[in-house]
């Protein structure tokens, strides 16, 4: 199965800004993990995901049970190293191609 790159995103709690669903409202952050294969294609994808993160495209703020919180945005991430596509993990032979198309 090979080795994995593990990406960790630490999103702090804060207040939403202009352009967010409810500007000025507090939101809850969290820790988010994503996995990529540790090979040339996975490393290339990691760099593209880093650029997307730096541009604010990776996460969004959503209301959940009356609370604003950080959630994944529209860019698909593998949040498990196993379990297959049904569990948002590997194996998924199409994932790297699909995520690069989105990026």
């Amino acid at each position: 199965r090979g080795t994995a790159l593990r990406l960790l995103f630490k999103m702090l709690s804060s207040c939403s800004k202009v352009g967010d669903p409810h500007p000025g409202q507090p939101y809850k952050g969290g820790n988010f993990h994503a996995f990529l294969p540790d090979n040339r294609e996975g490393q290339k994808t990691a760099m593209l995901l880093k650029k997307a993160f730096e541009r604010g495209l990776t996460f969004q703020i959503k209301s959940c049970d009356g609370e604003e919180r950080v959630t994944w945005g529209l860019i698909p991430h593998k949040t498990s190293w196993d379990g297959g596509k049904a569990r948002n993990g590997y194996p998924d032979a199409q994932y790297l191609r699909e995520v690069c198309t989105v990026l």
Side-chain angles (χ1 to χ4, degrees), residues 2-3 13 16 18-19 25 32 34-35 41 44-46 50 52 55 58 61-62 72 74 77 80 84 88 99:
T3 58
S13 297
S16 55
V18 173
Q25 292 295 314
F32 298 82
F35 297 88
E41 194 173 359
K44 175 185 165 195
T45 303
K50 181 178 186 243
R55 293 179 180 155
T58 304
I61 299 170
K62 281 192 173 178
W72 290 108
L74 298 176
H77 286 76
S80 174
N88 209 22
V99 75

Side-chain angles (χ1 to χ4, degrees), residues 33-49:
H33 303 270
F35 297 88
L36 293 165
D38 190 5
N39 58 29
R40 177 185 280 167
E41 194 173 359
Q43 291 167 8
K44 175 185 165 195
T45 303
M47 294 306 295
L48 293 172
L49 288 171

